[in-house]
């Protein structure tokens, strides 16, 4: 049985969405991200932009295997904001994604149940407003060979419809190709079957 070698993420930052509950205004937005540094910058910018907001709550999921995540309540009662937002990340099955929900307090306490519902709805609206795309997980395979084998290597690359990431053509040639994760072993075996080609996976 093959591993899943693709994941869902966002094509671009989505439009801001608005949701109101008993006077409180919730502004939701979904952002494509690749690391925690990007996330910190977005949160910092939003806190500056919305410096009169009561709370800037968020949740994110990172990693092509959906392995890293965090939820932040930003002062709301424990698990009433970040976790419902994270629940929508799971529901929409997206990673490399940050969802932010900014709350402007409207004078009426919503209670924990009301907050959970409000943040969940705001996150849902934000993700519905975004373009979700599917990306394939690839591995980089480096090929090392002498120049006379170039024709053979290029023929296999063409037959397998592989993308060349980088290449260095001298007396010894180095070509790095992107290979779909589930095809890696088969493709590597194909190159290794040709005497004179050394292949190695770049970690």
């Amino acid at each position: 049985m093959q591993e899943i070698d693709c994941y869902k993420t966002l094509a671009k930052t989505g439009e801001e969405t608005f949701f109101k509950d008993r006077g409180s205004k919730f502004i939701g937005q979904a952002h494509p991200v690749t690391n925690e540094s990007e996330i910190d910058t977005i949160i910092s910018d939003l806190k500056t932009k919305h410096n009169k907001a009561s709370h800037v709550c968020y949740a994110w999921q990172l990693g092509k295997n959906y392995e890293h995540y965090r939820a932040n309540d930003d002062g709301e009662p424990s698990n009433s904001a970040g976790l419902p937002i994270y629940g929508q990340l799971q529901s929409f099955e997206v990673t490399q994604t940050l969802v932010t929900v900014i709350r402007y307090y409207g004078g009426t306490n919503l209670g924990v149940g009301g907050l959970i519902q409000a943040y969940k709805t705001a996150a849902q609206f934000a993700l519905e407003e975004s373009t979700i795309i599917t990306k394939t997980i690839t591995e980089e395979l480096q090929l090392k060979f002498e120049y006379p084998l170039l024709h053979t290597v290029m023929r296999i690359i063409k037959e397998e419809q592989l993308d060349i990431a980088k290449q260095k053509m001298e007396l010894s040639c180095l070509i790095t190709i992107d290979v779909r994760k589930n095809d890696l072993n088969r493709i590597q075996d194909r190159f290794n079957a040709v005497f004179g080609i050394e292949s190695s996976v770049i970690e």
Side-chain angles (χ1 to χ4, degrees):
M1 186 174 162
Q2 287 191 318
E3 288 182 72
I4 295 170
D5 69 346
C6 52
Y7 62 95
K8 289 181 186 175
T9 188
L10 307 185
K12 59 182 181 179
T13 298
E15 296 294 321
E16 286 187 343
T17 59
F18 299 90
F19 172 72
K20 269 191 168 182
D21 188 357
R22 286 165 278 179
S24 280
K25 184 167 79 169
F26 297 85
I27 304 167
Q29 195 169 25
H31 319 255
V33 288
T34 56
N35 57 58
E36 289 189 51
S37 177
E38 274 182 54
I39 292 166
D40 291 343
T41 300
I42 292 168
I43 298 301
S44 176
D45 288 349
L46 286 174
K47 286 186 173 180
T48 302
K49 181 182 173 185
H50 295 275
N51 58 1
K52 300 234 173 10
S54 321
H55 307 277
V56 178
C57 303
Y58 60 90
W60 53 258
Q61 189 146 258
L62 287 176
K64 293 172 183 177
N65 297 306
Y66 298 73
E67 61 267 42
H68 306 295
Y69 63 90
R70 187 167 298 158
N72 190 304
D73 296 313
D74 192 37
E76 293 282 33
S78 184
N79 298 332
S80 67
L83 218 52
I85 298 170
Y86 174 61
Q88 290 307 297
L89 286 170
Q90 289 183 302
S91 187
F92 282 79
E93 299 178 334
V94 288
T95 187
Q96 308 293 75
T97 301
L98 162 71
V99 174
T100 55
V101 179
I102 294 150
R103 181 190 183 191
Y104 284 88
Y105 182 61
T108 303
N109 287 338
L110 304 183
V112 171
L115 288 172
I116 289 170
Q117 191 57 44
Y119 280 103
K120 175 189 170 186
T121 303
Q124 179 188 333
F125 285 179
L127 286 163
E128 284 174 348
E129 200 58 40
S130 302
T131 304
I132 295 172
I133 56 173
T134 300
K135 286 192 170 184
T136 304
I137 300 173
T138 58
E139 302 276 4
E140 283 194 323
L141 186 65
Q142 188 180 75
L143 308 171
K144 187 178 178 183
F145 53 92
E146 298 300 309
Y147 196 81
L149 285 171
L150 179 63
H151 177 73
T152 304
V153 170
M154 296 309 286
R155 178 174 53 79
I156 296 172
I157 287 172
K158 187 178 178 185
E159 285 173 2
E160 296 289 352
Q161 298 180 319
L162 301 168
D163 291 324
I164 296 174
K166 52 190 170 196
Q167 57 187 22
K168 186 178 174 186
M169 301 298 186
E170 291 172 356
L171 210 54
S172 285
C173 302
L174 274 179
I175 291 182
T176 303
I177 52 175
D178 292 325
V179 181
R180 185 167 180 157
K181 188 177 178 182
N182 280 344
D183 293 336
L184 180 64
N185 290 340
R186 180 181 64 78
I187 299 287
Q188 191 169 13
D189 286 348
R190 221 185 140 181
F191 284 113
N192 288 345
V194 180
F195 181 76
I197 299 177
E198 292 175 33
S199 70
S200 57
V201 179
I202 299 174
E203 296 297 336

